[in-house]
C-alpha cells in the first residue's frame, strides 16, 4: 500500500511532517510520500522523503505566468504529482496535457476523480494511478472505505476495464490503520490523506498508527 499525504495549504511545518514521514517509512518499510506546497518541494525533498507536487500545469516552458511547471517541480525534488484534486478541478483536456507534461519531466502521476465513472474517464488518459475521493467525505471523520465501500470497488473495476496497469487509490476521511486495511480489502493499492496527518498534534504518531497493520 502506498500512502500519500497531501499537506494542502494547512498551517503545518512541512519539513517536520516530512521528517516524521521519512522516519516512519524507514522503520515500517511502507512507501510514504508527502505533497507540500510548491514553494516547499525542495525543502521537503531534502529530508529524504518521497516528495510529490500537489499540481502541475498543462504547459511546458514559455509565457505561462502563474503556472507550476512540471520540469521545475521535478528539478526541485518532486518524484510525482497529484492532478485534478477536488479542490483544484481541471478540464479533461488539461488533465491530459498535465499528464503529458508530468511524463516529460519524469514525474509519476495520480489523477483524482469524484466517482467510478470519472475514474474510468481519467484512467483512459494513461496516468500511473487514479484516486477516487468523494468530495463530501474529504476532511471528515469517516473514511470512504467505511462510508461507501462500493465506490472503491466500483472505481477499481472501472479503472481495470480501461487499463489494468493503472493503480487505484482511495481518499477522503482516511486517518487510521483500520481505514488503510479497509481500503486494501476493497482492492485499492494506496490511500490519499491530508488532515489526519497535517492537522495531527503528533504527525509521526498518526502515521505510525496508520501503517501499523502493514508492519
Amino acid at each position: 500500500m502506498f500512502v500519500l499525504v497531501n499537506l494542502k495549504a494547512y498551517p503545518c511545518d512541512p519539513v517536520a511532517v516530512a521528517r516524521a514521514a521519512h522516519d516512519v517509512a524507514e522503520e515500517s518499510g511502507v512507501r510514504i510520500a508527502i505533497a507540500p506546497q510548491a514553494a516547499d518541494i525542495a525543502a521537503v525533498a531534502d529530508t529524504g522523503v518521497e516528495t510529490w507536487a500537489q499540481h502541475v500545469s498543462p504547459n511546458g516552458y514559455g509565457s505561462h505566468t502563474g503556472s507550476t511547471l512540471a520540469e521545475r517541480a521535478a528539478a526541485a525534488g518532486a518524484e510525482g504529482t497529484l492532478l485534478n484534486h477536488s479542490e483544484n478541478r481541471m478540464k479533461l483536456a488539461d488533465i491530459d496535457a498535465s499528464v503529458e507534461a508530468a511524463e516529460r519531466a519524469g514525474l509519476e502521476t495520480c489523477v483524482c476523480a469524484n466517482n467510478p465513472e470519472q475514474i474510468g474517464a481519467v484512467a483512459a488518459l494513461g496516468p500511473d494511478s487514479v484516486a477516487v475521493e468523494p468530495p463530501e467525505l474529504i476532511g471528515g471523520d469517516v473514511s470512504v472505505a467505511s462510508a461507501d465501500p462500493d465506490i472503491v470497488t466500483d472505481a477499481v473495476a472501472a479503472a481495470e476495464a480501461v487499463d489494468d496497469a493503472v493503480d487505484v487509490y482511495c481518499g477522503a476521511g482516511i486517518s487510521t490503520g483500520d481505514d488503510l486495511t479497509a481500503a486494501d480489502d476493497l482492492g485499492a493499492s494506496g490511500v490519499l490523506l491530508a488532515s489526519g496527518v497535517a492537522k495531527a498534534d503528533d504527525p509521526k504518531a498518526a502515521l505510525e498508527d496508520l501503517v501499523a497493520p502493514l508492519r
Side-chain angles (χ1 to χ4, degrees):
M1 292 289 282
F2 175 44
V3 175
L4 177 54
V5 181
N6 177 12
L7 300 185
K8 300 189 177 184
Y10 289 134
C12 60
D13 181 341
V15 172
V17 176
R19 286 178 177 147
H22 178 267
D23 289 347
V24 174
E26 289 287 304
E27 293 164 4
S28 66
V30 177
R31 182 186 174 200
I32 302 174
I34 300 293
Q37 287 281 300
D40 297 318
I41 288 174
V44 166
D46 282 346
T47 68
V49 77
E50 182 175 337
T51 304
W52 281 47
Q54 294 181 9
H55 169 81
V56 296
S57 301
N59 56 261
Y61 288 100
S63 303
H64 304 291
T65 300
S67 64
T68 300
L69 194 63
E71 288 84 353
R72 298 314 304 160
E79 300 177 47
T81 185
L82 288 169
L83 294 169
N84 196 48
H85 191 276
S86 65
E87 295 160 358
N88 191 14
R89 283 290 178 216
M90 304 170 69
K91 296 178 181 177
L92 196 62
D94 287 339
I95 298 172
D96 192 19
S98 284
V99 168
E100 291 181 1
E103 289 175 347
R104 287 196 305 268
L107 295 174
E108 188 173 335
T109 50
C110 177
V111 180
C112 301
N114 290 349
N115 55 56
E117 292 75 20
Q118 291 182 13
I119 286 290
V122 297
L125 303 178
D128 295 293
S129 60
V130 291
V132 62
E133 288 194 304
E136 65 273 15
L137 296 177
I138 291 176
D141 296 325
V142 180
S143 78
V144 61
S146 300
D148 194 354
D150 287 347
I151 200 171
V152 180
T153 54
D154 290 349
V156 171
E160 286 181 347
V162 174
D163 184 349
D164 61 9
V166 176
D167 289 327
V168 180
Y169 308 149
C170 69
I174 303 290
S175 62
T176 69
D178 288 342
D179 296 334
L180 194 65
T181 299
D184 189 16
D185 290 343
L186 293 169
S189 54
V191 295
L192 272 59
L193 70 157
S195 57
V197 172
K199 288 185 169 183
D201 292 333
D202 186 340
K204 185 175 182 182
L207 284 166
E208 288 172 335
D209 174 67
L210 184 74
V211 304
L214 301 181
R215 288 177 181 266

